[in-house]
Amino acid sequence: MEELFTGVHGKGAFLNGKPIKVSSQSELVKSLLATEAGTKRDKSTVDATTNIINSLLFKVRSLRMTGSCALNLCGIACGRIDLFYETGYGGPWDVAGGAVIVKEAGGIVYDPHLVKILTSLLKESQLQTRF
């Protein structure tokens, strides 16, 4: 494949040294979605994940599963993929580099679990400052 994705905060995202940008696709029904089944294999997690994937299939143009969170994020960054959704990845090494590359290519990375953690920490800090 001979591809090297790079990104530096505030300096842009690149594929083999050339600048890249995320897709401009704005219609969900015309979007190519990448997803993964996550790392947990207990029945309730697998059922919930496959139910979400099944519901998304009717809302997008097509779906891809590459097996790599990092490569999916790089696919977003260079415009090959329009959306990426995954529940439960292996760890920060799966998303850290890819997230920087996506953001530098003009994309958005949203982690609802991180929002919950930050909201919880914010509430804790507000409680601590009150007492």
Side-chain angles (χ1 to χ4, degrees):
M1 222 173 186
E2 301 295 324
E3 292 184 329
L4 176 64
F5 288 91
T6 55
V8 176
H9 180 68
K11 301 208 184 228
F14 306 89
L15 170 54
N16 294 335
K18 295 179 182 171
I20 55 177
K21 292 178 81 172
V22 297
S23 166
S24 60
Q25 183 55 256
S26 61
E27 292 182 62
L28 187 60
V29 72
K30 293 181 179 178
S31 297
L32 178 60
L33 168 71
T35 190
E36 301 297 334
T39 56
K40 294 183 180 179
R41 292 296 178 262
D42 60 277
K43 182 165 176 32
S44 64
T45 301
V46 171
D47 286 348
T49 301
T50 54
N51 286 339
I52 291 168
I53 292 170
N54 283 337
S55 70
L56 289 170
L57 278 171
F58 295 99
K59 295 178 173 112
V60 297
R61 176 176 54 106
S62 190
L63 176 127
R64 301 288 184 272
M65 295 177 95
T66 67
S68 170
C69 179
L71 282 177
N72 285 329
L73 289 168
C74 288
I76 291 286
C78 71
R80 291 179 189 157
I81 301 167
D82 302 304
L83 304 163
F84 173 57
Y85 167 81
E86 182 172 358
T87 301
Y89 49 86
W93 52 87
D94 284 338
V95 295
V100 170
I101 294 169
V102 168
K103 287 179 181 181
E104 288 300 310
I108 298 168
V109 177
Y110 176 72
D111 182 345
H113 299 293
L114 183 59
V115 170
K116 289 177 189 174
I117 291 168
L118 291 174
T119 302
S120 175
L121 289 173
L122 179 60
K123 287 178 182 175
E124 275 184 35
S125 80
Q126 287 173 342
L127 285 173
Q128 289 172 358
T129 57
R130 289 184 188 164
F131 298 103

